[in-house]
Amino acid sequence: MVEVVEHDVLVIGSGLAGLRTALEIKRSPGGDRVDVAIVSKVQLMRSHSVAAEGGTAAVLYPEEGDSVALHAWDTVKGSDFLADQDAVWTMVKLAPEEIRLLERWGMPWSRRPDGRIAQRPFGGHSFPRACYAADKTGFFEMQTLYGRLQAFDGWTRYDEVYVTSIIVEDGWFRGATALDLRSGELLVFRARAGVIATGGAGRIYKFTTYSHSSTGDGLAMALREGIPLKDMEFIQFHPTGLVPSGILITEGARGEGGYLVNAKGERFMKRYAPERMELAPRDVVSRAIMTEIMEGRGLRDEFTGLDYVLLDLRHLGEERISERLPAVREIAIKHAGVDPVEEPIPVRPVAHYTMGGIHTDSYYRVLTAEGRWVRGLWAAGEAASASIHGANRLGSNSTIECLVSGRLVGRQVLRFLEKHPEALRGPSRERVEREEKCVYDELLKRESGESVYEVRERLQETMDRYVYVFRDRSGLEEAVRRIKRLRGAMKNVYPHDKSRVYNTDLVAVLETANMLDVALAVAVSALARTESRGAHYRVDYPRRDDENWLKHTLAVMNANGEIELGYTPVRITTWKPVERRY
Ligand SMILES: Cc1cc2nc3c(=O)[nH]c(=O)nc-3n(C[C@H](O)[C@H](O)[C@H](O)COP(=O)(O)OP(=O)(O)OC[C@H]3O[C@@H](n4cnc5c(N)ncnc54)[C@H](O)[C@@H]3O)c2cc1C
């Protein structure tokens, strides 16, 4: 059975970006007349955003020497000059107000002794500007936004509803189809405006900090609608993933003064970033760790075979660790059997952030490859590529992008609805029937074949091995070959479970197909980019090449499901590229 529901706005994703978008709509003049749906494939508050630990960047105290221009410059330099500078300026200018708005809505920011909001240093920022709530910043931000949203009527939450496709027809957003996981029925959303806030795609890797739900569905759905993904080769590897699980040890640990040491007990960062040391940007620190390991100065985990270095917090003392980094201590004790008060923590670079994403302009309007706006459609947060982070994101700049993009999108959605009061058209019947057939006739009825969990695992191993911190042509070619083979294997996977209610097997099939599409875009984009910039490091092309590569990659899926590449210029408004040193 197909159930059809109608809303003015469909927000897909209930992380920081989705909630902030909905809240901006509801709290703005006229917002009370707008009917908003918020859809999430997991419980609303289980979105990956709750896992953000370290902080949210904004300039709060210019009188102490910080400035929005400095925040913009740090971000552009951090991006290895691939960021679109107009978008960066907008974000840094709006950031301080977002922090104060959250404050007003009840956010329990950590404080200075005088009661003002405290800030800690973060990699690549020349001023301590990461606002934090201990090391549970994202969790409290989500609580605060959700709490504030409760003050308004006129919005509906669809928890545990898995969107299977976003529908664009004749250049306009029409709605989406989704699987209601509780009933197993197909839901059709008809809406005037849509916002893709589905987060990143880090689960295409095995060793990753991301929640299991971060499978890049929104990115794959966009690809299938012919919408380009921008700069997908730039995946961030956070330097300190806990060995063996990959759980994040926040950069806040180094912000509070933690050191990285190799097997010989040396503080090796002095060789790679003598000025910034452990607080150099993430791409620099991750490469330094991998170089130490590859040159034989790492340690090895006996059970997993994973090589690692050590993060030493002991000199901070028990009181400071427990007050500022309680989650780090808890995670290290529970998941590695190491109390950081007494022993250093085993860490290695871990897949952590998707710099690329859905191609948008600097106002987060979703664009076609020809640069035309898909009318009525926006992307916000990590799913979008505006592009603020370019080739490398600075820590604490993502949660702030989620907040600012949500606000920008919310405002535009309201104006768009005022301008287009015409009747809602919704997706065509053919599209909906095709979607229904695909899920219920093609997938659910298959009786035998390969295990989807094996396909997923093989994809993750491929990405960990060939599309990691250091890359080269032959490895990337191998990755592309393997991903294509796995995509072929998807034609034979089948869900064991045939029931309709909470069919997690079926979801695994849908997600894995999405992960493969996204992974292919990553590998194909990385193979083409014959230079090293930010997080994309090619051993065979170790230099940045501005002459040929100061441009954004656009990956588009053609009718045969293959990825084709195009390029678009970087918007440079203030700073010409210079050599990047730390
Ligand atoms: C462990 C960790 C720590 C981090 N720490 C920091 C930090 O300290 N500071 C910082 O700035 N950044 C940090 N980041 C990055 C930052 O947290 C994320 O980029 C940001 O929270 C992403 O928010 P989002 O709203 O874009 O998406 P998410 O929070 O990832 O939410 C995605 C939403 O989309 C929904 N969704 C996805 N697919 C579907 C589908 N098919 N159907 C329906 N719903 C769907 C999900 O259910 C979810 O609600 C961290 C990231 C991680 C992984």
Side-chain angles (χ1 to χ4, degrees), residues 13-17 40-42 47-49 51-55 161 163 197-199 209 217 248 352-353 381-382 393 396 398-399 402:
S14 65
L16 284 172
S40 170
K41 69 176 176 179
V42 294
S47 304
H48 183 60
S49 290
E53 300 173 7
V161 168
V163 176
T198 46
T209 63
D217 303 331
L248 178 73
H352 180 64
Y353 187 79
E382 191 171 342
R393 169 179 76 96
S396 69
S398 169
T399 45
C402 288

PDB file of all heavy atoms in Angstrom, residues 13-17 40-42 47-49 51-55 161 163 197-199 209 217 248 352-353 381-382 393 396 398-399 402, ligand 1:
ATOM      1  N   GLY A  13      16.537  14.626   7.059  1.00  0.00           N
ATOM      2  CA  GLY A  13      17.668  14.608   7.990  1.00  0.00           C
ATOM      3  C   GLY A  13      17.371  15.470   9.201  1.00  0.00           C
ATOM      4  O   GLY A  13      16.915  16.614   9.064  1.00  0.00           O
ATOM      5  N   SER A  14      17.631  14.922  10.370  1.00  0.00           N
ATOM      6  CA  SER A  14      17.328  15.657  11.606  1.00  0.00           C
ATOM      7  C   SER A  14      18.578  15.885  12.434  1.00  0.00           C
ATOM      8  O   SER A  14      18.539  15.891  13.655  1.00  0.00           O
ATOM      9  CB  SER A  14      16.291  14.898  12.430  1.00  0.00           C
ATOM     10  OG  SER A  14      16.852  13.657  12.849  1.00  0.00           O
ATOM     11  N   GLY A  15      19.727  16.026  11.763  1.00  0.00           N
ATOM     12  CA  GLY A  15      20.942  16.410  12.478  1.00  0.00           C
ATOM     13  C   GLY A  15      20.913  17.918  12.730  1.00  0.00           C
ATOM     14  O   GLY A  15      19.868  18.568  12.595  1.00  0.00           O
ATOM     15  N   LEU A  16      22.066  18.473  13.062  1.00  0.00           N
ATOM     16  CA  LEU A  16      22.120  19.916  13.351  1.00  0.00           C
ATOM     17  C   LEU A  16      21.581  20.735  12.180  1.00  0.00           C
ATOM     18  O   LEU A  16      20.840  21.701  12.368  1.00  0.00           O
ATOM     19  CB  LEU A  16      23.569  20.337  13.619  1.00  0.00           C
ATOM     20  CG  LEU A  16      24.130  19.956  14.988  1.00  0.00           C
ATOM     21  CD1 LEU A  16      25.630  20.250  15.038  1.00  0.00           C
ATOM     22  CD2 LEU A  16      23.397  20.737  16.077  1.00  0.00           C
ATOM     23  N   ALA A  17      21.938  20.325  10.944  1.00  0.00           N
ATOM     24  CA  ALA A  17      21.526  21.123   9.783  1.00  0.00           C
ATOM     25  C   ALA A  17      20.014  21.052   9.579  1.00  0.00           C
ATOM     26  O   ALA A  17      19.357  22.078   9.344  1.00  0.00           O
ATOM     27  CB  ALA A  17      22.257  20.634   8.533  1.00  0.00           C
ATOM     28  N   SER A  40      13.740  11.315   9.376  1.00  0.00           N
ATOM     29  CA  SER A  40      15.034  10.743   9.732  1.00  0.00           C
ATOM     30  C   SER A  40      14.947   9.232   9.697  1.00  0.00           C
ATOM     31  O   SER A  40      13.974   8.654  10.171  1.00  0.00           O
ATOM     32  CB  SER A  40      15.445  11.204  11.132  1.00  0.00           C
ATOM     33  OG  SER A  40      16.574  10.470  11.560  1.00  0.00           O
ATOM     34  N   LYS A  41      15.989   8.596   9.176  1.00  0.00           N
ATOM     35  CA  LYS A  41      15.936   7.129   9.115  1.00  0.00           C
ATOM     36  C   LYS A  41      16.211   6.505  10.471  1.00  0.00           C
ATOM     37  O   LYS A  41      15.917   5.339  10.684  1.00  0.00           O
ATOM     38  CB  LYS A  41      16.887   6.594   8.050  1.00  0.00           C
ATOM     39  CG  LYS A  41      18.362   6.745   8.336  1.00  0.00           C
ATOM     40  CD  LYS A  41      19.159   6.073   7.224  1.00  0.00           C
ATOM     41  CE  LYS A  41      20.640   6.263   7.407  1.00  0.00           C
ATOM     42  NZ  LYS A  41      21.415   5.605   6.345  1.00  0.00           N
ATOM     43  N   VAL A  42      16.806   7.285  11.372  1.00  0.00           N
ATOM     44  CA  VAL A  42      16.961   6.809  12.750  1.00  0.00           C
ATOM     45  C   VAL A  42      16.101   7.709  13.635  1.00  0.00           C
ATOM     46  O   VAL A  42      15.531   8.688  13.157  1.00  0.00           O
ATOM     47  CB  VAL A  42      18.434   6.854  13.216  1.00  0.00           C
ATOM     48  CG1 VAL A  42      19.270   5.864  12.415  1.00  0.00           C
ATOM     49  CG2 VAL A  42      19.018   8.255  13.080  1.00  0.00           C
ATOM     50  N   SER A  47      20.804  11.184  15.314  1.00  0.00           N
ATOM     51  CA  SER A  47      21.583  11.630  14.155  1.00  0.00           C
ATOM     52  C   SER A  47      23.055  11.753  14.553  1.00  0.00           C
ATOM     53  O   SER A  47      23.365  11.998  15.721  1.00  0.00           O
ATOM     54  CB  SER A  47      21.076  12.994  13.696  1.00  0.00           C
ATOM     55  OG  SER A  47      19.700  12.918  13.427  1.00  0.00           O
ATOM     56  N   HIS A  48      23.938  11.627  13.576  1.00  0.00           N
ATOM     57  CA  HIS A  48      25.370  11.614  13.905  1.00  0.00           C
ATOM     58  C   HIS A  48      25.824  12.889  14.638  1.00  0.00           C
ATOM     59  O   HIS A  48      26.778  12.859  15.418  1.00  0.00           O
ATOM     60  CB  HIS A  48      26.225  11.400  12.664  1.00  0.00           C
ATOM     61  CG  HIS A  48      27.683  11.318  12.988  1.00  0.00           C
ATOM     62  ND1 HIS A  48      28.188  10.350  13.826  1.00  0.00           N
ATOM     63  CD2 HIS A  48      28.731  12.099  12.652  1.00  0.00           C
ATOM     64  CE1 HIS A  48      29.483  10.539  13.978  1.00  0.00           C
ATOM     65  NE2 HIS A  48      29.842  11.596  13.275  1.00  0.00           N
ATOM     66  N   SER A  49      25.131  13.993  14.405  1.00  0.00           N
ATOM     67  CA  SER A  49      25.520  15.251  15.057  1.00  0.00           C
ATOM     68  C   SER A  49      25.678  15.135  16.574  1.00  0.00           C
ATOM     69  O   SER A  49      26.475  15.861  17.162  1.00  0.00           O
ATOM     70  CB  SER A  49      24.477  16.337  14.776  1.00  0.00           C
ATOM     71  OG  SER A  49      24.507  16.731  13.424  1.00  0.00           O
ATOM     72  N   ALA A  51      27.207  13.111  18.119  1.00  0.00           N
ATOM     73  CA  ALA A  51      28.540  12.606  18.447  1.00  0.00           C
ATOM     74  C   ALA A  51      29.619  13.686  18.376  1.00  0.00           C
ATOM     75  O   ALA A  51      30.753  13.446  18.756  1.00  0.00           O
ATOM     76  CB  ALA A  51      28.896  11.459  17.509  1.00  0.00           C
ATOM     77  N   ALA A  52      29.274  14.884  17.866  1.00  0.00           N
ATOM     78  CA  ALA A  52      30.288  15.942  17.776  1.00  0.00           C
ATOM     79  C   ALA A  52      30.759  16.268  19.189  1.00  0.00           C
ATOM     80  O   ALA A  52      29.964  16.452  20.094  1.00  0.00           O
ATOM     81  CB  ALA A  52      29.725  17.176  17.094  1.00  0.00           C
ATOM     82  N   GLU A  53      32.067  16.301  19.336  1.00  0.00           N
ATOM     83  CA  GLU A  53      32.604  16.411  20.682  1.00  0.00           C
ATOM     84  C   GLU A  53      33.240  17.768  20.949  1.00  0.00           C
ATOM     85  O   GLU A  53      32.887  18.489  21.871  1.00  0.00           O
ATOM     86  CB  GLU A  53      33.672  15.316  20.891  1.00  0.00           C
ATOM     87  CG  GLU A  53      33.119  13.909  20.714  1.00  0.00           C
ATOM     88  CD  GLU A  53      34.208  12.841  20.757  1.00  0.00           C
ATOM     89  OE1 GLU A  53      35.377  13.159  21.056  1.00  0.00           O
ATOM     90  OE2 GLU A  53      33.879  11.670  20.491  1.00  0.00           O
ATOM     91  N   GLY A  54      34.195  18.129  20.090  1.00  0.00           N
ATOM     92  CA  GLY A  54      35.177  19.144  20.465  1.00  0.00           C
ATOM     93  C   GLY A  54      34.715  20.581  20.515  1.00  0.00           C
ATOM     94  O   GLY A  54      35.075  21.338  21.417  1.00  0.00           O
ATOM     95  N   GLY A  55      33.914  21.041  19.519  1.00  0.00           N
ATOM     96  CA  GLY A  55      33.528  22.440  19.582  1.00  0.00           C
ATOM     97  C   GLY A  55      32.987  22.985  18.277  1.00  0.00           C
ATOM     98  O   GLY A  55      32.953  22.303  17.259  1.00  0.00           O
ATOM     99  N   VAL A 161      11.985   6.625   9.197  1.00  0.00           N
ATOM    100  CA  VAL A 161      11.433   6.614   7.840  1.00  0.00           C
ATOM    101  C   VAL A 161      12.626   6.797   6.901  1.00  0.00           C
ATOM    102  O   VAL A 161      13.348   7.788   6.998  1.00  0.00           O
ATOM    103  CB  VAL A 161      10.395   7.735   7.658  1.00  0.00           C
ATOM    104  CG1 VAL A 161      10.034   7.911   6.187  1.00  0.00           C
ATOM    105  CG2 VAL A 161       9.141   7.432   8.474  1.00  0.00           C
ATOM    106  N   VAL A 163      14.224   7.450   3.430  1.00  0.00           N
ATOM    107  CA  VAL A 163      13.949   8.019   2.112  1.00  0.00           C
ATOM    108  C   VAL A 163      14.705   7.212   1.050  1.00  0.00           C
ATOM    109  O   VAL A 163      15.913   6.989   1.177  1.00  0.00           O
ATOM    110  CB  VAL A 163      14.336   9.510   2.054  1.00  0.00           C
ATOM    111  CG1 VAL A 163      14.140  10.073   0.656  1.00  0.00           C
ATOM    112  CG2 VAL A 163      13.507  10.307   3.065  1.00  0.00           C
ATOM    113  N   ALA A 197      19.488  17.203   4.117  1.00  0.00           N
ATOM    114  CA  ALA A 197      20.388  17.413   5.260  1.00  0.00           C
ATOM    115  C   ALA A 197      20.761  16.059   5.826  1.00  0.00           C
ATOM    116  O   ALA A 197      20.616  15.795   7.026  1.00  0.00           O
ATOM    117  CB  ALA A 197      19.705  18.298   6.306  1.00  0.00           C
ATOM    118  N   THR A 198      21.231  15.190   4.917  1.00  0.00           N
ATOM    119  CA  THR A 198      21.437  13.790   5.269  1.00  0.00           C
ATOM    120  C   THR A 198      22.853  13.463   5.742  1.00  0.00           C
ATOM    121  O   THR A 198      23.182  12.294   5.925  1.00  0.00           O
ATOM    122  CB  THR A 198      21.110  12.898   4.055  1.00  0.00           C
ATOM    123  OG1 THR A 198      21.748  13.483   2.903  1.00  0.00           O
ATOM    124  CG2 THR A 198      19.620  12.830   3.789  1.00  0.00           C
ATOM    125  N   GLY A 199      23.706  14.477   5.927  1.00  0.00           N
ATOM    126  CA  GLY A 199      25.026  14.241   6.513  1.00  0.00           C
ATOM    127  C   GLY A 199      26.025  13.621   5.546  1.00  0.00           C
ATOM    128  O   GLY A 199      25.820  13.602   4.327  1.00  0.00           O
ATOM    129  N   THR A 209      35.003   7.223  12.221  1.00  0.00           N
ATOM    130  CA  THR A 209      34.388   7.752  13.444  1.00  0.00           C
ATOM    131  C   THR A 209      32.871   7.874  13.306  1.00  0.00           C
ATOM    132  O   THR A 209      32.193   8.209  14.258  1.00  0.00           O
ATOM    133  CB  THR A 209      34.903   9.177  13.734  1.00  0.00           C
ATOM    134  OG1 THR A 209      34.499  10.046  12.668  1.00  0.00           O
ATOM    135  CG2 THR A 209      36.412   9.213  13.889  1.00  0.00           C
ATOM    136  N   ASP A 217      23.338   8.394   1.894  1.00  0.00           N
ATOM    137  CA  ASP A 217      22.116   8.190   1.088  1.00  0.00           C
ATOM    138  C   ASP A 217      21.740   9.438   0.288  1.00  0.00           C
ATOM    139  O   ASP A 217      21.395   9.350  -0.889  1.00  0.00           O
ATOM    140  CB  ASP A 217      20.912   7.831   1.970  1.00  0.00           C
ATOM    141  CG  ASP A 217      21.164   6.608   2.821  1.00  0.00           C
ATOM    142  OD1 ASP A 217      21.947   5.746   2.395  1.00  0.00           O
ATOM    143  OD2 ASP A 217      20.574   6.521   3.917  1.00  0.00           O
ATOM    144  N   LEU A 248      36.174   8.293  17.741  1.00  0.00           N
ATOM    145  CA  LEU A 248      36.936   9.538  17.725  1.00  0.00           C
ATOM    146  C   LEU A 248      37.497   9.905  19.099  1.00  0.00           C
ATOM    147  O   LEU A 248      36.792   9.862  20.098  1.00  0.00           O
ATOM    148  CB  LEU A 248      36.022  10.687  17.270  1.00  0.00           C
ATOM    149  CG  LEU A 248      36.695  12.058  17.254  1.00  0.00           C
ATOM    150  CD1 LEU A 248      37.667  12.157  16.094  1.00  0.00           C
ATOM    151  CD2 LEU A 248      35.666  13.163  17.176  1.00  0.00           C
ATOM    152  N   HIS A 352      36.676  10.626   8.677  1.00  0.00           N
ATOM    153  CA  HIS A 352      35.960  11.456   9.640  1.00  0.00           C
ATOM    154  C   HIS A 352      35.017  12.484   9.039  1.00  0.00           C
ATOM    155  O   HIS A 352      34.075  12.937   9.685  1.00  0.00           O
ATOM    156  CB  HIS A 352      36.993  12.163  10.510  1.00  0.00           C
ATOM    157  CG  HIS A 352      36.412  13.060  11.556  1.00  0.00           C
ATOM    158  ND1 HIS A 352      35.633  12.564  12.583  1.00  0.00           N
ATOM    159  CD2 HIS A 352      36.480  14.397  11.766  1.00  0.00           C
ATOM    160  CE1 HIS A 352      35.251  13.571  13.373  1.00  0.00           C
ATOM    161  NE2 HIS A 352      35.746  14.691  12.893  1.00  0.00           N
ATOM    162  N   TYR A 353      35.259  12.912   7.800  1.00  0.00           N
ATOM    163  CA  TYR A 353      34.414  13.982   7.287  1.00  0.00           C
ATOM    164  C   TYR A 353      34.442  13.963   5.764  1.00  0.00           C
ATOM    165  O   TYR A 353      35.457  13.651   5.154  1.00  0.00           O
ATOM    166  CB  TYR A 353      34.917  15.350   7.794  1.00  0.00           C
ATOM    167  CG  TYR A 353      33.979  16.483   7.426  1.00  0.00           C
ATOM    168  CD1 TYR A 353      32.816  16.693   8.159  1.00  0.00           C
ATOM    169  CD2 TYR A 353      34.243  17.312   6.337  1.00  0.00           C
ATOM    170  CE1 TYR A 353      31.934  17.714   7.800  1.00  0.00           C
ATOM    171  CE2 TYR A 353      33.374  18.330   5.986  1.00  0.00           C
ATOM    172  CZ  TYR A 353      32.219  18.521   6.723  1.00  0.00           C
ATOM    173  OH  TYR A 353      31.353  19.526   6.381  1.00  0.00           O
ATOM    174  N   GLY A 381      24.299  21.566   5.687  1.00  0.00           N
ATOM    175  CA  GLY A 381      25.175  20.763   6.549  1.00  0.00           C
ATOM    176  C   GLY A 381      26.190  19.971   5.749  1.00  0.00           C
ATOM    177  O   GLY A 381      26.597  20.359   4.654  1.00  0.00           O
ATOM    178  N   GLU A 382      26.566  18.817   6.309  1.00  0.00           N
ATOM    179  CA  GLU A 382      27.665  18.051   5.707  1.00  0.00           C
ATOM    180  C   GLU A 382      27.314  17.508   4.324  1.00  0.00           C
ATOM    181  O   GLU A 382      28.201  17.285   3.495  1.00  0.00           O
ATOM    182  CB  GLU A 382      28.070  16.910   6.650  1.00  0.00           C
ATOM    183  CG  GLU A 382      29.360  16.241   6.223  1.00  0.00           C
ATOM    184  CD  GLU A 382      29.899  15.247   7.240  1.00  0.00           C
ATOM    185  OE1 GLU A 382      29.481  15.294   8.416  1.00  0.00           O
ATOM    186  OE2 GLU A 382      30.743  14.429   6.846  1.00  0.00           O
ATOM    187  N   ARG A 393      38.895  20.394   5.814  1.00  0.00           N
ATOM    188  CA  ARG A 393      38.098  21.166   6.763  1.00  0.00           C
ATOM    189  C   ARG A 393      38.875  21.379   8.057  1.00  0.00           C
ATOM    190  O   ARG A 393      39.545  20.464   8.535  1.00  0.00           O
ATOM    191  CB  ARG A 393      36.811  20.400   7.092  1.00  0.00           C
ATOM    192  CG  ARG A 393      36.055  20.975   8.258  1.00  0.00           C
ATOM    193  CD  ARG A 393      34.788  20.218   8.536  1.00  0.00           C
ATOM    194  NE  ARG A 393      34.996  18.951   9.194  1.00  0.00           N
ATOM    195  CZ  ARG A 393      34.901  18.767  10.516  1.00  0.00           C
ATOM    196  NH1 ARG A 393      34.606  19.773  11.318  1.00  0.00           N
ATOM    197  NH2 ARG A 393      35.079  17.569  11.033  1.00  0.00           N
ATOM    198  N   SER A 396      35.930  21.973  14.087  1.00  0.00           N
ATOM    199  CA  SER A 396      34.940  22.899  14.664  1.00  0.00           C
ATOM    200  C   SER A 396      34.277  23.799  13.624  1.00  0.00           C
ATOM    201  O   SER A 396      33.368  24.553  13.948  1.00  0.00           O
ATOM    202  CB  SER A 396      35.508  23.747  15.830  1.00  0.00           C
ATOM    203  OG  SER A 396      36.464  24.675  15.374  1.00  0.00           O
ATOM    204  N   SER A 398      32.593  22.512  11.070  1.00  0.00           N
ATOM    205  CA  SER A 398      31.465  21.819  10.456  1.00  0.00           C
ATOM    206  C   SER A 398      30.164  22.086  11.195  1.00  0.00           C
ATOM    207  O   SER A 398      29.136  22.391  10.580  1.00  0.00           O
ATOM    208  CB  SER A 398      31.730  20.322  10.422  1.00  0.00           C
ATOM    209  OG  SER A 398      30.540  19.678  10.076  1.00  0.00           O
ATOM    210  N   THR A 399      30.199  21.959  12.521  1.00  0.00           N
ATOM    211  CA  THR A 399      28.959  22.213  13.263  1.00  0.00           C
ATOM    212  C   THR A 399      28.503  23.653  13.010  1.00  0.00           C
ATOM    213  O   THR A 399      27.311  23.906  12.862  1.00  0.00           O
ATOM    214  CB  THR A 399      29.160  21.955  14.765  1.00  0.00           C
ATOM    215  OG1 THR A 399      30.379  22.555  15.182  1.00  0.00           O
ATOM    216  CG2 THR A 399      29.215  20.458  15.047  1.00  0.00           C
ATOM    217  N   CYS A 402      26.772  23.737   9.741  1.00  0.00           N
ATOM    218  CA  CYS A 402      25.412  23.174   9.849  1.00  0.00           C
ATOM    219  C   CYS A 402      24.439  24.255  10.328  1.00  0.00           C
ATOM    220  O   CYS A 402      23.340  24.406   9.786  1.00  0.00           O
ATOM    221  CB  CYS A 402      25.372  22.021  10.849  1.00  0.00           C
ATOM    222  SG  CYS A 402      26.184  20.530  10.247  1.00  0.00           S
TER     223      CYS A 402
HETATM  224  C1  LIG B   1      32.475  11.545  15.932  1.00  0.00           C
HETATM  225  C2  LIG B   1      32.366  12.890  15.295  1.00  0.00           C
HETATM  226  C3  LIG B   1      32.740  14.027  15.997  1.00  0.00           C
HETATM  227  C4  LIG B   1      32.644  15.288  15.407  1.00  0.00           C
HETATM  228  N1  LIG B   1      33.020  16.386  16.131  1.00  0.00           N
HETATM  229  C5  LIG B   1      32.872  17.612  15.578  1.00  0.00           C
HETATM  230  C6  LIG B   1      33.195  18.787  16.324  1.00  0.00           C
HETATM  231  O1  LIG B   1      33.594  18.731  17.485  1.00  0.00           O
HETATM  232  N2  LIG B   1      33.028  19.989  15.715  1.00  0.00           N
HETATM  233  C7  LIG B   1      32.577  20.101  14.443  1.00  0.00           C
HETATM  234  O2  LIG B   1      32.411  21.222  13.954  1.00  0.00           O
HETATM  235  N3  LIG B   1      32.257  18.993  13.714  1.00  0.00           N
HETATM  236  C8  LIG B   1      32.396  17.766  14.260  1.00  0.00           C
HETATM  237  N4  LIG B   1      32.084  16.663  13.517  1.00  0.00           N
HETATM  238  C9  LIG B   1      31.438  16.833  12.218  1.00  0.00           C
HETATM  239  C10 LIG B   1      29.982  17.225  12.430  1.00  0.00           C
HETATM  240  O3  LIG B   1      29.514  16.650  13.628  1.00  0.00           O
HETATM  241  C11 LIG B   1      29.097  16.755  11.295  1.00  0.00           C
HETATM  242  O4  LIG B   1      29.611  17.198  10.082  1.00  0.00           O
HETATM  243  C12 LIG B   1      27.684  17.306  11.459  1.00  0.00           C
HETATM  244  O5  LIG B   1      27.161  17.007  12.729  1.00  0.00           O
HETATM  245  C13 LIG B   1      26.764  16.766  10.375  1.00  0.00           C
HETATM  246  O6  LIG B   1      25.456  17.200  10.658  1.00  0.00           O
HETATM  247  P1  LIG B   1      24.316  17.084   9.591  1.00  0.00           P
HETATM  248  O7  LIG B   1      23.135  17.760  10.184  1.00  0.00           O
HETATM  249  O8  LIG B   1      24.793  17.553   8.284  1.00  0.00           O
HETATM  250  O9  LIG B   1      24.038  15.515   9.436  1.00  0.00           O
HETATM  251  P2  LIG B   1      23.921  14.325  10.516  1.00  0.00           P
HETATM  252  O10 LIG B   1      23.982  14.771  11.908  1.00  0.00           O
HETATM  253  O11 LIG B   1      24.887  13.294  10.066  1.00  0.00           O
HETATM  254  O12 LIG B   1      22.453  13.805  10.294  1.00  0.00           O
HETATM  255  C14 LIG B   1      22.028  13.164   9.109  1.00  0.00           C
HETATM  256  C15 LIG B   1      20.547  12.978   9.178  1.00  0.00           C
HETATM  257  O13 LIG B   1      20.070  12.478   7.942  1.00  0.00           O
HETATM  258  C16 LIG B   1      19.208  11.391   8.150  1.00  0.00           C
HETATM  259  N5  LIG B   1      19.254  10.531   6.967  1.00  0.00           N
HETATM  260  C17 LIG B   1      20.338  10.099   6.277  1.00  0.00           C
HETATM  261  N6  LIG B   1      19.952   9.305   5.250  1.00  0.00           N
HETATM  262  C18 LIG B   1      18.603   9.235   5.300  1.00  0.00           C
HETATM  263  C19 LIG B   1      17.614   8.550   4.521  1.00  0.00           C
HETATM  264  N7  LIG B   1      17.925   7.762   3.495  1.00  0.00           N
HETATM  265  N8  LIG B   1      16.315   8.703   4.874  1.00  0.00           N
HETATM  266  C20 LIG B   1      15.964   9.472   5.930  1.00  0.00           C
HETATM  267  N9  LIG B   1      16.849  10.126   6.699  1.00  0.00           N
HETATM  268  C21 LIG B   1      18.153  10.011   6.377  1.00  0.00           C
HETATM  269  C22 LIG B   1      19.748  10.726   9.398  1.00  0.00           C
HETATM  270  O14 LIG B   1      18.765   9.918   9.997  1.00  0.00           O
HETATM  271  C23 LIG B   1      20.094  11.969  10.231  1.00  0.00           C
HETATM  272  O15 LIG B   1      18.954  12.449  10.860  1.00  0.00           O
HETATM  273  C24 LIG B   1      32.172  15.400  14.084  1.00  0.00           C
HETATM  274  C25 LIG B   1      31.796  14.273  13.382  1.00  0.00           C
HETATM  275  C26 LIG B   1      31.911  13.027  13.960  1.00  0.00           C
HETATM  276  C27 LIG B   1      31.530  11.821  13.138  1.00  0.00           C
END
